[in-house]
């Protein structure tokens, strides 16, 4: 049932741990997903927070989801939006966007726990250059899948008979939530590519034990149930395969290498739109 196990790798960014699961040398994409980061969990003391200065993206969409904490988002189309646990921030970079992510003043002053997922979804080739946009979806507007010992949210696409209001560009599977020990959950069907990530806890799938911090790629035709051995936090991701390979360089994703080179030059020369209210930016990497 499990075709591949990806461990990812961790990086400490000033006392805050990020685990990168995609891209991986053995797997470059999962459905439309080309980048998956788990942020934290981290306990941030009073006076500390995250400060990701304005940086650019092209030809992709980003989805941010939090289990704990808050992040203040600003972007070059004028969006100003805090995201809190259970919400979805959906940013379509398309032809080009810049944004920043910082800890809101309230949480920074009090100290808080931060834990969530940040993902990039490649846009289909014909829609890579759509106009940039941003939408915020509060937790109350997202469909939930509830049962004995389980509470899940359909963040994007379709799963378990529910459809998210997030306007995706290709068939997408993205579900996150919690299972209590002993709960059972059938595998989501209707998607060519599926991956399961346990953020915490232990479970069994097809008689195989699985633990936290592994991204499991599921065999295409596999059916069965996930059995929670302990309380778990989890995410299902996947969807239709990409319509061709993508090149990733820094914050840029595209089906065309020459488009990456153009984006590099545009950011270096200051041709991206700026983020209102922000005076800083992340320079283009030298390498």
């Amino acid at each position: 049932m499990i075709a591949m196990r990806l461990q990812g790798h961790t990086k400490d960014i000033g006392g805050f741990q990020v685990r990168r699961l995609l891209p991986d040398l053995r797997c470059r994409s999962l459905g439309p997903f080309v980048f998956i980061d788990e942020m934290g969990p981290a306990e941030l003391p009073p006076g500390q927070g995250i400060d990701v200065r304005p940086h650019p993206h092209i030809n992709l969409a980003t989805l941010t989801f939090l289990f704990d904490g808050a992040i203040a988002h600003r972007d070059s189309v004028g969006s100003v939006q805090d995201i809190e646990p259970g919400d979805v921030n959906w940013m379509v970079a398309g032809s080009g966007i810049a944004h920043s992510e910082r800890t809101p003043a309230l949480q920074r002053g009090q100290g808080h726990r931060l834990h969530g997922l940040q993902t990039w979804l490649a846009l289909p080739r014909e829609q890579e250059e759509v106009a940039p946009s941003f939408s915020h979806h509060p937790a109350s507007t997202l469909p939930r899948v509830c049962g004995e010992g389980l509470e899940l949210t359909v963040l994007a696409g379709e799963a378990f008979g529910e459809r998210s209001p997030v306007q995706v560009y290709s068939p997408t599977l993205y579900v996150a939530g919690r299972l209590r020990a002993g709960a059972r959950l059938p595998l989501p069907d209707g998607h060519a590519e599926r991956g399961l990530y346990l953020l915490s806890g232990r479970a069994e799938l097809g008689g195989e034990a699985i633990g936290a911090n592994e991204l499991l790629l599921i065999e295409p035709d596999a059916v069965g149930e996930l059995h929670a051995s302990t309380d778990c936090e989890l995410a299902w991701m996947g969807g239709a395969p990409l319509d061709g390979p993508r090149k990733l360089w820094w914050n840029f994703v595209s089906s065309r290498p020459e488009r990456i080179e153009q984006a590099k030059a545009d950011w270096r020369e200051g041709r991206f739109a700026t983020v209102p209210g922000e005076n800083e930016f992340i320079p283009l990497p030298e390498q």
Side-chain angles (χ1 to χ4, degrees):
M1 187 174 294
I2 299 173
M4 189 180 299
R5 294 174 182 254
L6 304 179
Q7 304 295 331
H9 60 275
T10 59
K11 182 178 181 181
D12 188 281
I13 50 175
F16 182 74
Q17 181 173 286
V18 172
R19 178 180 294 273
R20 182 148 304 160
L21 300 155
L22 278 185
D24 185 275
L25 290 176
R26 295 179 294 161
C27 178
R28 307 301 297 180
S29 61
L30 174 62
F33 294 86
V34 294
F35 178 97
I36 301 172
D37 263 5
E38 179 187 3
M39 305 177 292
E43 299 292 340
L44 302 177
Q48 291 189 18
I50 64 168
D51 285 291
V52 182
R53 295 167 291 162
H55 57 281
H57 292 288
I58 61 164
N59 293 186
L60 59 84
T62 68
L63 193 153
T64 303
F65 175 80
L66 298 179
F67 286 92
D68 299 288
I71 296 175
H73 166 95
R74 290 176 177 265
D75 63 41
S76 54
V77 299
S79 312
V80 179
Q81 179 66 59
D82 287 0
I83 180 173
E84 297 183 340
D87 299 347
V88 161
N89 272 5
W90 176 249
M91 185 182 75
V92 179
S95 60
I97 198 169
H99 75 128
S100 66
E101 297 164 296
R102 301 182 186 271
T103 298
L106 176 63
Q107 285 78 12
R108 190 185 298 268
Q110 295 177 342
H112 69 296
R113 175 181 171 89
L114 184 62
H115 188 204
L117 292 165
Q118 283 202 319
T119 55
W120 299 355
L121 291 77
L123 297 176
R125 287 179 175 180
E126 293 184 355
Q127 294 163 306
E128 284 184 322
E129 298 293 334
V130 297
S133 63
F134 174 85
S135 60
H136 174 74
H137 299 270
S140 61
T141 67
L142 298 170
R144 303 182 75 88
V145 178
C146 300
E148 186 174 351
L150 63 89
E151 187 172 352
L152 307 172
T153 302
V154 181
L155 305 183
E158 296 182 71
F160 304 112
E162 301 287 348
R163 179 194 292 268
S164 167
V166 173
Q167 188 61 51
V168 295
Y169 287 77
S170 61
T172 302
L173 166 67
Y174 197 2
V175 177
R178 293 180 169 94
L179 269 62
R180 295 288 187 187
R184 293 181 178 273
L185 178 70
L187 273 63
D189 58 13
H191 295 281
E193 298 184 356
R194 296 170 294 175
L196 171 65
Y197 182 60
L198 289 190
L199 293 89
S200 65
R202 300 189 309 275
E204 289 186 2
L205 186 62
E208 294 189 63
I210 57 177
N213 307 133
E214 284 187 315
L215 177 61
L216 308 180
L217 306 186
I218 308 303
E219 294 285 359
D221 298 324
V223 295
E225 286 186 324
L226 177 69
H227 177 217
S229 305
T230 67
D231 291 355
C232 299
E233 291 176 315
L234 61 85
W236 280 103
M237 303 178 199
L242 287 177
D243 56 354
R246 294 300 191 273
K247 179 177 176 60
L248 279 72
W249 189 90
W250 190 40
N251 298 310
F252 303 136
V253 172
S254 183
S255 63
R256 296 161 292 151
E258 67 275 12
R259 183 66 178 89
I260 300 284
E261 296 305 314
Q262 177 189 333
K264 290 181 186 181
D266 289 344
W267 185 248
R268 185 187 299 114
E269 301 300 325
R271 291 193 287 266
F272 272 80
T274 58
V275 180
E278 295 273 12
N279 298 315
E280 300 178 294
F281 66 95
I282 300 177
L284 190 77
E286 292 296 324
Q287 298 279 338

